Amino acid sequence: MEFGIGIDFHGQDVTKASVKAAKDAVSKSCLIGLNEVCGFTQGNIDENVFIEATVAVSRPDEVIKEEVIKCFPVGQITVKCVYGGLKTDGLYFTKFGDKDGSIEVAVASVKVEIKNDGR
């Protein structure tokens, strides 16, 4: 399992923060060896790798899950959005896209499971 954080400094966009958190978690992991150990190829990896991403933000119902799914290059992906993360004081400049004076911080956990045919 890997963890990541993502921050939207301006705009208070929970989807942008969630995407950054998912990308941060992905950047800390490596699935090297799946082809040698499990016999996965580019043709069958998607049917054998299962990724579950959980993102915690202050407004989970506003996260566009399809955007988070795009962070993962392989596998069957599910995204669960839960209440959490952090909303903290920031700057308020409408020219930067701010809707209010806060910063949105997302936390993501990413779990990868593989289906193995007994090798």
Side-chain angles (χ1 to χ4, degrees), residues 18-67:
S18 296
V19 165
K20 289 178 180 180
K23 286 182 178 181
D24 184 41
V26 167
S27 74
K28 297 174 185 173
S29 66
C30 182
L31 300 179
I32 195 164
L34 286 180
N35 54 340
E36 294 89 357
V37 175
C38 301
F40 294 167
T41 66
Q42 291 192 33
N44 70 4
I45 194 166
D46 286 338
E47 65 193 53
N48 290 296
V49 174
F50 302 88
I51 298 172
E52 180 182 299
T54 302
V55 292
V57 291
S58 65
R59 299 180 321 276
D61 55 320
E62 295 180 23
V63 175
I64 301 169
K65 293 179 181 181
E66 293 78 17
E67 293 300 312

Side-chain angles (χ1 to χ4, degrees), residues 8-17 58-59 62 87-88 90-93 96-104:
D8 186 25
F9 288 101
H10 298 287
Q12 299 73 40
D13 189 317
V14 291
T15 299
K16 286 183 182 177
S58 65
R59 299 180 321 276
E62 295 180 23
K87 186 172 183 173
T88 189
L91 296 174
Y92 179 61
F93 287 103
F96 291 157
D98 286 323
K99 298 175 193 126
D100 62 36
S102 67
I103 296 170
E104 186 69 41

